[in-house]
């Protein structure tokens, strides 16, 4: 009599549920010593600092001092400093004497000094100032004509090759030259227009000013359209890094995303309509300014943007054929490139 073996199907292993445990947390509260009013600069209910809107009170760290703007109710919005103590929190200088506002802004540390702008005559001119944190060491460098109060900006400190002290670069919009690149070495004679890139009253609109290997890099609009420029601070040394899209057509128009990662610049550019707006990089030389990858192949644009440096790797958002963005209906991806 033969026996037939019947194999029963193996049952799936039983998954044991992990019991969730909970415990009562200790009651915690902030100690009164964790924070306290340093000084009532404008006594009473009035505010000393601008805490909302587009003209927030600026702060900067200079050595062991905090430099900021404040209104004590008597001098207007002026330059203040603090060493962290009530006694050491005081008016540094009344830039616009009396109750009028000096409105210091554009705080930028350049070497051992803080550069900033202050109001001279509203919507007519601004003064470029510097301070070492003392009243005696706070002085105006030059009065600069402007088109409007917010004409000056993009303050960037660069230690140029061969120099022992940094140079301040900034943009300014004035009636004869439009919005162009300016610089200052802290002296009246050393403060002025670097180059009228877009000749006449037209705006070059320099933006994304970046220090790389002892030179200044930025985007600007000129005879060749909007391209990446490099400057050593001189007229002749301020030129297009590379005419990526030959001719007067712009390669980087409206990208606003020149980003430094390590010793490499990343940005989006369009070399031709056949390639679209794609990811580029530069080591600061014309030969080293190259396409990284045609992410969205063909004439479509990948629009690389929102570059973020994560330990030497640049992450960014771009369009690709792999993923779909439900809000716009465009393919999206988050690629990464090593430097």
């Amino acid at each position: 009599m033969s026996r037939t073996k019947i194999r029963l199907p193996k049952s799936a292993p039983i998954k044991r549920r992990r019991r969730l445990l909970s415990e009562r947390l200790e009651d915690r509260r902030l100690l009164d010593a964790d924070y306290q009013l340093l000084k009532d600069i404008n006594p009473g209910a009035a505010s000393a600092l601008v805490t909302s809107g587009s003209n927030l009170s600026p702060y900067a760290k200079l050595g062991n001092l905090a430099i900021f703007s404040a209104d004590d109710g008597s001098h207007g919005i002026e330059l203040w400093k603090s060493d962290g103590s009530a006694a050491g929190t005081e008016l540094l200088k009344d830039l616009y004497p009396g109750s009028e506002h000096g409105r210091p802004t554009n705080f930028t540390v350049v070497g051992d000094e803080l550069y900033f702008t202050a109001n001279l005559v509203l919507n007519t001119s601004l003064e470029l100032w510097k301070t070492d944190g003392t009243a005696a060491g706070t002085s105006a460098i030059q009065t600069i004509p402007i088109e409007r109060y917010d004409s000056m900006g993009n303050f960037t400190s660069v230690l140029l090759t061969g120099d022992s002290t940094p140079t301040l670069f900034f943009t300014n919009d004035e009636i004869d030259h439009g919005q162009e690149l300016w610089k200052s070495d802290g002296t009246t004679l050393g403060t002025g227009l670097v180059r009228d890139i877009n000749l006449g009253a037209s705006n070059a609109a320099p933006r994304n000013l970046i220090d790389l290997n002892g030179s200044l890099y930025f985007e600007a609009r000129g005879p060749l359209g909007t391209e990446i420029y490099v400057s050593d601070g001189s007229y002749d040394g301020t030129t297009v890094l590379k005419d990526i899209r030959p001719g007067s057509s712009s390669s980087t128009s409206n990208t606003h995303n020149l980003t430094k990662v390590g010793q490499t610049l990343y940005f989006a550019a369009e070399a031709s309509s056949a390639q679209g707006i794609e990811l580029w990089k530069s080591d600061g030389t014309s030969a080293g300014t190259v396409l990284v990858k045609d992410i969205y192949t063909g004439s479509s644009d990948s629009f690389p943007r929102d570059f973020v440096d994560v330990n030497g790797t640049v992450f960014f958002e771009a369009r690709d054929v792999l993923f779909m963005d439900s809000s716009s209906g465009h393919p999206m991806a988050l690629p990464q490139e090593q430097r």
Side-chain angles (χ1 to χ4, degrees), residues 81-156:
K81 70 175 181 178
S82 177
D83 62 3
S85 68
T89 302
E90 59 186 355
L91 178 68
L92 178 52
K93 188 148 189 166
D94 189 3
L95 307 171
Y96 199 144
S99 60
E100 297 293 336
H101 301 301
R103 294 187 185 277
T105 190
N106 289 316
F107 287 3
T108 304
V109 175
V110 181
D112 297 327
E113 296 176 309
L114 178 73
Y115 285 54
F116 60 96
T117 56
N119 182 47
L120 183 60
V121 181
L122 188 62
N123 292 328
T124 302
S125 59
L126 285 176
E127 283 185 324
L128 180 64
W129 287 69
K130 65 178 180 179
T131 182
D132 62 2
T134 67
T138 303
S139 60
I141 299 171
Q142 183 174 318
T143 299
I144 299 175
I146 60 172
E147 278 289 278
R148 58 186 186 278
Y149 179 73
D150 62 348
S151 291
M152 296 174 66
N154 297 305
F155 278 41
T156 305

Side-chain angles (χ1 to χ4, degrees), residues 40-41 45 163 184 186 210 212 214 272 285 307 320 336:
D40 190 3
I41 294 173
D163 288 355
S184 178
I210 293 178
L212 177 69
S272 70
T285 67
F307 295 96
D320 198 352
Q336 64 180 16

Side-chain angles (χ1 to χ4, degrees), residues 244-245 250-257 267-280 291 293-305 307 316-320:
I244 295 174
R245 184 164 187 170
S250 300
S251 69
T252 64
S253 180
N254 299 319
T255 56
H256 304 276
N257 57 15
F267 57 97
E270 183 178 23
S272 70
S273 58
Q275 186 179 81
I277 300 174
E278 296 296 341
L279 179 65
W280 283 67
L291 174 71
K293 187 173 182 178
D294 188 2
I295 297 170
Y296 202 145
T297 56
S299 60
S300 298
D301 303 309
S302 70
F303 291 119
R305 58 192 178 273
F307 295 96
F316 58 99
E317 184 178 352
R319 298 194 340 168
D320 198 352

